[in-house]
Amino acid sequence: MKRIALVTDGTADLTDDIVKDCDIHVVPLKVRFGNQEYSGQELSSEEFYRRLAEEDKLPKTSQPSPEEFGCLYAKLMEEYHEVISVHISSALSGTFNAAHLAKEKFKEKIHIVDSKTLSLGMGLMLIEAAKNIKEGRDVAWILDNLVKARKNIETLFTLNTMEYLQKGGRIGRVQGFMGSLLNIKPIIRVGDDGVYQTYGKVHSQKKALDSVVQAFRELAEGRKPIGLVIVHGAAHQAGLYLKETMENAFQLQTIAFTQVGPVIGVHTGPGTVGAAVQYE
């Protein structure tokens, strides 16, 4: 039998190639447009943003059930000794709790990790865990290393509009940006507690992207950056600008450049651009 399986949910926004190479098992979240429900994997990012622009009502999202997690865990336990299951911040979704409920009947074989982040910030944690598994590390070592890795991962993004976070009720600490301030481009950090925090605000997307780069410099605190991922929501050119600027600023090659998936995209909307950096 194989030793350790790696599981996540559909909010990690990793590319298909990385998921395959890292042998990651994904439990999808769902997106509902009216009466039509899709798993995050069934709806491409391109199709999602097209539908988002056309629909009058904001689509809904739903987390996997404990039963869905339980089915996957049961299947994996036929092939693996243990499972590490890394999920979106419990402060932003009930997905972590659903996974935790599902692990009960497997006793100590399933290990649930609250990433306290989302999207490619969580993706960097999964890439780290996959590397540890390939190195032959045991579960205790990997879990301890994931705690350390999270402390050295910063995730920031800028929104083209606050409309979608406001409609979806996910504003969190960004609640001051309402009414007339919706035209401001906020820079948002995922805090150490896994909740959105306002890091800054500017009046144009380019200034916002430059501010994201500056924010990563400030958050480095003397640490050396060792991993970079870039994500965008229907904003390819802006994403490329951030990618080039970040690579030049930190002398790093981007590990992943991809789109925000449908589940996160419901709450952030088109024009979102962000990055996650792992420091040494």
Side-chain angles (χ1 to χ4, degrees):
M1 292 179 72
K2 299 177 183 178
R3 294 178 59 253
I4 304 168
L6 189 56
V7 172
T8 192
D9 57 69
T11 65
D13 291 336
L14 289 169
T15 65
D16 291 340
D17 287 344
I18 291 177
V19 169
K20 182 179 179 181
D21 183 59
C22 292
D23 193 24
I24 299 171
H25 305 268
V26 180
V27 180
L29 279 76
K30 297 179 177 63
V31 177
R32 178 182 291 275
F33 282 96
N35 294 322
Q36 294 178 304
E37 187 173 75
Y38 306 88
S39 80
Q41 276 62 45
E42 291 174 336
L43 192 63
S44 70
S45 293
E46 290 77 13
E47 175 66 11
F48 165 73
Y49 285 106
R50 183 189 68 78
R51 291 282 300 271
L52 190 64
E54 293 175 353
E55 298 284 341
D56 293 329
K57 293 184 178 180
L58 191 68
K60 304 291 185 181
T61 60
S62 60
Q63 67 202 38
S65 66
E67 290 74 22
E68 288 174 283
F69 278 112
C71 286
L72 176 60
Y73 294 155
K75 181 178 179 182
L76 290 174
M77 291 312 299
E78 296 175 1
E79 300 180 49
Y80 297 85
H81 288 110
E82 296 181 84
V83 173
I84 295 175
S85 200
V86 183
H87 298 290
I88 183 174
S89 170
S90 60
L92 300 174
S93 169
T95 301
F96 170 83
N97 289 332
H100 201 274
L101 287 171
K103 69 159 281 184
E104 294 305 316
K105 67 178 180 181
F106 299 98
K107 298 183 179 179
E108 303 303 318
K109 297 294 187 179
I110 311 293
H111 309 273
I112 312 297
V113 177
D114 183 351
S115 73
K116 296 188 182 297
T117 187
L118 75 167
S119 190
L120 288 180
M122 185 166 70
L124 283 172
M125 293 179 66
L126 288 158
I127 291 169
E128 180 77 13
K131 181 183 74 172
N132 297 159
I133 291 171
K134 289 179 180 179
E135 291 169 345
R137 304 288 188 177
D138 63 31
V139 164
W141 194 98
I142 295 171
L143 294 175
D144 183 59
N145 190 52
L146 281 176
V147 173
K148 295 175 183 176
R150 174 60 185 94
K151 291 178 180 177
N152 285 302
I153 291 173
E154 295 288 352
T155 303
L156 292 106
F157 57 96
T158 181
L159 304 178
N160 199 42
T161 173
M162 290 296 298
E163 175 186 357
Y164 295 91
L165 271 186
Q166 186 181 19
K167 285 182 177 179
R170 300 300 176 92
I171 283 185
R173 294 180 188 170
V174 196
Q175 54 191 321
F177 288 100
M178 292 190 182
S180 62
L181 293 184
L182 291 177
N183 291 323
I184 288 176
K185 312 301 181 190
I187 293 88
I188 298 173
R189 174 181 179 242
V190 182
D192 297 336
D193 55 359
V195 177
Y196 297 145
Q197 301 173 345
T198 306
Y199 198 88
K201 51 185 178 179
V202 294
H203 291 279
S204 73
Q205 188 179 60
K206 183 179 183 301
K207 288 181 180 179
L209 297 174
D210 291 337
S211 295
V212 167
V213 179
Q214 180 58 32
F216 278 116
R217 290 184 185 276
E218 294 169 0
L219 291 166
E221 299 177 348
R223 298 175 293 179
K224 178 184 177 182
I226 57 173
L228 169 65
V229 287
I230 305 289
V231 66
H232 70 89
H236 190 260
Q237 288 304 312
L240 286 176
Y241 176 81
L242 183 61
K243 176 179 179 290
E244 180 179 349
T245 307
M246 288 288 291
E247 287 181 342
N248 290 336
F250 294 104
Q251 298 301 300
L252 277 179
Q253 290 296 310
T254 301
I255 297 171
F257 177 80
T258 187
Q259 285 215 70
V260 179
V263 175
I264 300 295
V266 166
H267 304 291
T268 55
T272 300
V273 187
V277 171
Q278 182 176 0
Y279 299 97
E280 197 169 51

